[in-house]
Amino acid sequence: MAKGKRYQKRARKGGPWALLAVLAAAAALWAGRTLGLLPEQEEPSSPTAAPQTAEGTLQVRYFDVGQADAELIQFPGGSNVLIDAGTSSTEDELIETLRSLGVETLDLVVATHPHADHIGGMAAVIEAFDVGGVVMPRVSDSDTPTTKTYEDLLESIAEKGLSATPAEPGAELFSEDGAALTVLAPNGEDYGDLNNYSVVLRLTFGEDAFLFTGDAEEESEEEMLNAGFDLSAAVLKCGHHGSETSTSQPFLDAVKPRYAVISCGADNDYGHPDAVTLEKLSAAGVEVFRTDLQGTILAVSDGAGVTMTALGRDAA
Ligand SMILES: [Zn+2]
């Protein structure tokens, strides 16, 4: 862990935090308006208002960052964890959006794997915010990328005086007020393909769970099943932008999601999401949300159910 820090947070109950939350919400609302992210007349309770931080809820945003991934978890006590940061082409927009949501500190940043559509905007994000820690997969020497994007990320981490913590399956990365984020993958050490190194995370809060899969493909899904992890989740972010190489039937059967989120770009060159994936999800009765069609997707959990809202293509 960076600087010997642990990412556990003590419970925060009322007191000055309640006031801070109100002030942060007001500031974020104001910021959102100045950035043109919110209509002038919008009430704070509207789905497009930022943030709806009813204290005690867990919020997850799956940002519309084109053919890429970026997700923000806002914990019940106000802590923020960012999973991936999209490409460099949306980094300024992502930073502005995070600020408009009242984010000043990213308690933890997770780089699922070192591909540009996941880490391209991360160096800029790390430079722009106070960062508590960075988690990355341990990648074999032969698979370690030599790209400038990856080197820029390592440099930004070093410049902040941080060091990347390797993701260990079974490890709890962060917890606050009953919500906890646990590593499920990677379970292997040498894949020959960066996608399968993806850090897969399960977020739990009361009866609700979320699965963040990066670009993990069938091989990693099989390893998670073999490891015996509880994979069940109300919300599954489909692996690899809805590609047919992920969301295998046994994995889908184990996750049993009610909702799936697919993060991909409109009219992308890869044909994501794949029709096979969409058919599988449909056959399983899963309601699908897509960033390419619906913009940023917001999921709010009170620990006893998840509410999904598509914020629209202008919201992020
Ligand atoms: Zn990707």
Side-chain angles (χ1 to χ4, degrees):
M1 292 292 175
K3 295 180 168 176
K5 268 189 194 170
R6 298 194 61 197
Y7 302 117
Q8 302 278 7
K9 289 281 168 131
R10 277 185 286 278
R12 299 164 172 175
K13 295 220 186 324
W17 292 108
L19 177 61
L20 280 177
V22 169
L23 291 174
L29 186 62
W30 176 83
R33 288 210 166 116
T34 59
L35 291 170
L37 292 172
L38 299 172
E40 280 301 317
Q41 304 305 321
E42 209 68 69
E43 290 300 319
S45 60
S46 152
T48 53
Q52 314 168 302
T53 40
E55 223 185 331
T57 66
L58 175 74
Q59 302 201 9
V60 180
R61 277 176 172 78
Y62 304 82
F63 291 118
D64 173 16
V65 285
Q67 180 65 20
D69 263 21
E71 295 110 36
L72 175 71
I73 303 169
Q74 294 188 286
F75 280 75
S79 292
N80 301 294
V81 173
L82 184 73
I83 303 172
D84 289 336
T87 65
S88 58
S89 68
T90 55
E91 65 190 27
D92 292 341
E93 196 182 1
L94 179 62
I95 289 167
E96 293 230 330
T97 301
L98 292 171
R99 288 196 175 127
S100 77
L101 292 168
V103 174
E104 289 176 357
T105 299
L106 291 168
D107 299 86
L108 190 64
V109 173
V110 180
T112 62
H113 66 296
H115 271 156
D117 57 327
H118 298 255
I119 62 160
M122 198 168 278
V125 167
I126 288 172
E127 282 161 24
F129 294 94
D130 289 332
V131 173
V134 179
V135 171
M136 293 171 66
R138 189 181 284 117
V139 176
S140 73
D141 288 347
S142 57
D143 286 337
T144 297
T146 54
T147 60
K148 180 156 190 319
T149 306
Y150 184 56
E151 282 169 10
D152 285 350
L153 173 58
L154 297 183
E155 206 170 293
S156 70
I157 293 168
E159 276 173 10
K160 283 271 172 156
L162 300 165
S163 58
T165 303
E168 304 287 355
E172 186 179 285
L173 287 186
F174 194 90
S175 69
E176 181 181 83
D177 292 4
L181 190 63
T182 305
V183 178
L184 304 186
N187 291 279
E189 292 173 351
D190 197 1
Y191 291 102
D193 164 14
L194 283 174
N195 285 348
N196 277 319
Y197 285 99
S198 288
V199 178
V200 176
L201 299 167
R202 185 166 181 265
L203 172 67
T204 55
F205 183 48
E207 297 166 12
D208 301 328
F210 297 74
L211 218 53
F212 302 91
T213 54
D215 281 354
E217 300 187 358
E218 195 167 352
E219 184 177 353
S220 175
E221 293 178 352
E222 201 177 319
E223 288 171 348
M224 285 183 267
L225 287 164
N226 291 341
F229 288 121
D230 182 355
L231 301 175
S232 65
V235 187
L236 167 67
K237 189 210 73 79
C238 289
H240 198 195
H241 319 283
S243 158
E244 64 174 333
T245 55
S246 303
T247 319
S248 61
Q249 194 63 52
F251 187 72
L252 184 58
D253 292 345
V255 178
K256 289 191 213 65
R258 200 156 150 216
Y259 307 109
V261 177
I262 295 174
S263 186
C264 63
D267 301 320
N268 64 76
D269 296 336
Y270 306 92
H272 295 160
D274 197 280
V276 173
T277 306
L278 293 177
E279 279 162 26
K280 263 186 240 171
L281 293 167
S282 169
V286 180
E287 188 177 347
V288 176
F289 290 82
R290 291 173 52 170
T291 61
D292 59 334
L293 301 179
Q294 297 162 289
T296 292
I297 309 296
L298 169 66
V300 180
S301 162
D302 61 4
V306 179
T307 305
M308 303 289 289
T309 311
L311 298 183
R313 300 221 54 218
D314 295 331

